[in-house]
Amino acid sequence: MTQGDARGAAMLSRLLREHQARQGERRELQERRRREAIAAATRLTEALVDHLNVGVAQAYVNQRKLDQEVKTLQAQAAQFAKQTGQWITMVENFNQALKEIGDVENWARSIELDMRTIATALEYVYKGQLQPACS
């Protein structure tokens, strides 16, 4: 081997080492970027899940509030129906009382008319008895 060949081989060997060193650096850089990308994707996924969990938790809270409101509304509706039934009963009783008062009033008028008729008849009879005695 000549000196030029030895230098060429040494240069080639140095270039190969440099190339291998650069490739190693590139691999390390690529591996570091891959780990950073995985970490960033993990953080993004966790942030998305947290955001969704907040929405789900709020929906759950809202659903519980709605359920409570529905129960309250049902109880109030039942109470209102009961009270309305009581009012209807009271109105029906009042109407019945008015009818009875009307019936009593009609009965009283009828009695009064009968009494006037009887009074008039008695008056005629009484006057009829007095006239022959006076003549």
Side-chain angles (χ1 to χ4, degrees), residues 13-103:
S13 176
R14 186 175 47 87
L15 286 174
L16 180 62
R17 279 192 307 269
E18 288 174 3
H19 174 71
Q20 288 173 343
R22 282 193 305 264
Q23 275 189 328
E25 289 172 3
R26 282 189 201 124
R27 271 190 290 245
E28 287 176 20
L29 179 63
Q30 190 175 18
E31 182 61 27
R32 188 177 68 230
R33 287 180 179 165
R34 185 183 71 78
R35 285 191 304 264
E36 289 172 356
I38 289 172
T42 301
R43 287 191 304 272
L44 175 64
T45 302
E46 288 172 354
L48 289 172
V49 167
D50 288 346
H51 179 71
L52 289 174
N53 283 342
V54 167
V56 168
Q58 186 62 47
Y60 178 73
V61 168
N62 290 344
Q63 182 62 42
R64 289 189 61 192
K65 286 180 183 177
L66 284 173
D67 289 343
Q68 186 60 40
E69 289 294 323
V70 165
K71 287 178 184 177
T72 301
L73 184 60
Q74 286 174 336
Q76 289 174 346
Q79 179 62 30
F80 181 68
K82 180 181 176 183
Q83 189 174 28
T84 303
Q86 291 171 344
W87 289 345
I88 289 171
T89 301
M90 286 174 53
V91 168
E92 287 173 350
N93 291 340
F94 182 70
N95 282 341
Q96 185 60 36
L98 285 178
K99 286 179 187 176
E100 289 172 6
I101 289 172
D103 290 346

Side-chain angles (χ1 to χ4, degrees), residues 2-15:
T2 65
Q3 210 177 30
D5 286 341
R7 267 195 268 165
M11 193 159 130
L12 189 57
S13 176
R14 186 175 47 87
L15 286 174

